[in-house]
Amino acid sequence: MQSRPDPTAFWIGVLFGGMAVGTICGLLPFFLARKRRRDSLAVAALVSCVLSGLILGVILALPVALVFTVVIVTMGPTQRSTGFPPVYPTQRANGATADLIVILS
């Protein structure tokens, strides 16, 4: 009589394999976005690739990675801000100037 393999070990292998495939596929858009200073897009690409790797493996993770790579390349790099809001001079009624601080959220 032959014993059946443990299905728990199979599903653990499927989960780790999907995560590994998704991570490997997501590294290209992740590092490309980080190089172009688009940190939030880098994290979104990596998380999306890992999740798609869990769902369908390389069949879904690779196209997701390619779409993110094309989006990142077409967007180009972003300008890093100094962390301070921009200051615009304004003219008062009496002729004096004041600084108007605009806070962008």
Side-chain angles (χ1 to χ4, degrees):
M1 189 162 126
Q2 207 173 20
S3 66
R4 299 189 77 182
D6 185 18
T8 306
F10 171 77
W11 288 111
I12 290 174
V14 167
L15 287 176
F16 280 110
M19 284 176 38
V21 165
T23 302
I24 290 169
C25 289
L27 287 178
L28 173 68
F30 177 77
F31 286 120
L32 187 63
R34 290 289 306 248
K35 182 179 179 185
R36 293 175 178 257
R37 296 184 301 255
R38 297 205 175 265
D39 297 334
S40 60
L41 193 58
V43 172
L46 187 61
V47 168
S48 297
C49 287
V50 169
L51 290 177
S52 62
L54 283 171
I55 295 170
L56 281 179
V58 73
I59 295 171
L60 185 59
L62 192 59
V64 168
L66 292 176
V67 167
F68 268 104
T69 301
V70 168
V71 168
I72 292 165
V73 168
T74 56
M75 287 179 76
T78 183
Q79 301 293 327
R80 287 214 188 253
S81 66
T82 59
F84 297 105
V87 177
Y88 300 101
T90 59
Q91 191 75 27
R92 290 189 177 171
N94 61 3
T97 59
D99 293 330
L100 175 65
I101 299 176
V102 178
I103 299 175
L104 301 175
S105 301

